Amino acid sequence: LAVELLDSELLAEQQHKNGVVELVMKTLPSPIKHLQQKLPNKSKLVLYFNPFGQINQLIQDCIRAVIKNELTELPRTQNQFEQFRDKIRLELNDKVFDVAVVVEKILSVGHNISKQLKGKVTLDMIQAHAYIKAHLESLIYKGFISECGIERLADIQRYMKALEKRVEKLKVDTVKDRLNQIELDKVYELYDKEVSKLPKGLEIPTQLHEVYWMIEELRVSMFAQNLGTKYPISVKRIKQTISELKK
């Protein structure tokens, strides 16, 4: 067993939580077989269209996300760990199934967007396609389920639908798309500047990470207003939130 000394209490807490999650995963029977039996054929097929390459890796990330979500208090003793593990054992299969169903819908939209980005592209759409592809990869990537958390999956599904709308609207009005992207670049630059100030290895603090999600909501308001945003959003609100973080 390796003992590692860490620079900050916050980093130590993060590593402790990750360690507990991995240990629970190793000591519990995997729901993979259960999922393969329960998921309809279409769902199984869509789950294969994922950035993980293998369906098992994707399901492992669903399992990790469920355990992380349930881990509201870190166990400090073996007894506490065993109590947590035994509690989650009873619910794991059903909860992982529920997550996999939502992930299947997200991946289905992602697959549709990827298909639309293929083939010949006119010169005025090349740059927009590059931005759309980059955005798609920032939403669906290896480990996105456990990293974003179960509570964010419904939002990610909405962001994916908004991205799909962007692809549709781009065919009609490339100029408006470019103007929206210029505004997005400005707020991303401010966000990235704050992230670059963080100590290496530390997860982005909750308040700053909220700015990232605010930018995602801004995207919805720009490209798919009919889907609705979680709260009123604008470039001005995001800039104000970032300036308040500096105080």
Side-chain angles (χ1 to χ4, degrees):
L1 185 70
V3 176
E4 190 181 350
L5 290 172
L6 298 163
D7 298 336
S8 84
E9 197 178 327
L10 193 60
L11 188 57
E13 199 82 350
Q14 285 168 8
Q15 297 283 54
H16 183 174
K17 186 170 186 174
N18 292 339
V20 170
V21 170
E22 295 308 314
L23 197 56
V24 171
M25 286 183 75
K26 280 178 184 172
T27 55
L28 281 182
S30 172
I32 289 174
K33 200 174 176 184
H34 170 80
L35 274 175
Q36 288 177 335
Q37 286 167 350
K38 269 191 88 176
L39 281 170
N41 283 338
K42 182 183 166 288
S43 298
K44 284 183 198 173
L45 281 173
V46 174
L47 284 173
Y48 278 100
F49 293 115
N50 77 79
F52 296 70
Q54 293 182 339
I55 193 168
N56 282 13
Q57 287 179 296
L58 180 73
I59 294 170
Q60 290 281 18
D61 198 43
C62 292
I63 299 165
R64 192 173 283 112
V66 168
I67 297 168
K68 270 180 89 171
N69 190 59
E70 296 295 311
L71 194 57
T72 49
E73 202 174 317
L74 284 175
R76 304 282 173 187
T77 65
Q78 189 173 341
N79 187 42
Q80 286 174 345
F81 171 79
E82 285 169 359
Q83 280 180 336
F84 172 72
R85 184 197 60 200
D86 294 344
K87 175 184 168 285
I88 205 161
R89 186 200 300 269
L90 302 169
E91 310 161 332
L92 193 61
N93 283 3
D94 290 340
K95 288 193 171 179
V96 173
F97 174 80
D98 292 342
V99 170
V101 168
V102 181
V103 170
E104 182 264 323
K105 289 172 184 169
I106 292 168
L107 292 177
S108 179
V109 178
H111 182 58
N112 185 39
I113 294 166
S114 292
K115 277 199 302 187
Q116 291 187 66
L117 295 178
K118 285 170 183 168
K120 286 184 179 177
V121 185
T122 55
L123 279 171
D124 59 342
M125 287 167 72
I126 288 173
Q127 195 177 25
H129 269 221
Y131 276 115
I132 289 164
K133 189 173 183 288
H135 186 207
L136 181 61
E137 287 169 1
S138 76
L139 289 171
I140 299 178
Y141 54 89
K142 194 171 179 178
F144 83 95
I145 308 154
S146 59
E147 194 173 302
C148 297
I150 290 170
E151 70 283 355
R152 287 276 179 203
L153 287 180
D155 291 333
I156 290 169
Q157 192 179 346
R158 186 164 45 89
Y159 302 151
M160 291 294 292
K161 285 178 182 172
L163 188 55
E164 195 174 35
K165 285 274 181 202
R166 179 179 181 177
V167 176
E168 289 168 18
K169 287 183 176 181
L170 177 65
K171 295 165 190 171
V172 181
D173 194 344
T174 55
V175 175
K176 192 175 181 185
D177 186 277
R178 189 163 64 249
L179 292 173
N180 282 335
Q181 188 60 53
I182 288 166
E183 290 302 301
L184 281 168
D185 286 344
K186 285 177 190 172
V187 285
Y188 267 118
E189 203 175 311
L190 293 171
Y191 171 75
D192 289 341
K193 197 174 174 183
E194 293 307 304
V195 172
S196 68
K197 295 174 188 174
L198 296 172
K200 204 177 175 185
L202 192 69
E203 280 182 21
I204 296 168
T206 308
Q207 283 177 302
L208 181 55
H209 207 202
E210 201 50 49
V211 174
Y212 174 85
W213 297 114
M214 285 176 82
I215 300 172
E216 287 296 335
E217 293 294 335
L218 181 67
R219 285 176 176 277
V220 176
S221 75
M222 285 175 166
F223 301 109
Q225 212 167 17
N226 61 314
L227 292 177
T229 57
K230 249 185 167 178
Y231 38 72
I233 192 71
S234 64
V235 171
K236 190 181 173 185
R237 277 176 189 265
I238 295 171
K239 286 180 175 176
Q240 196 179 335
T241 304
I242 291 172
S243 65
E244 282 168 9
L245 286 175
K246 293 177 185 178
K247 289 173 188 175

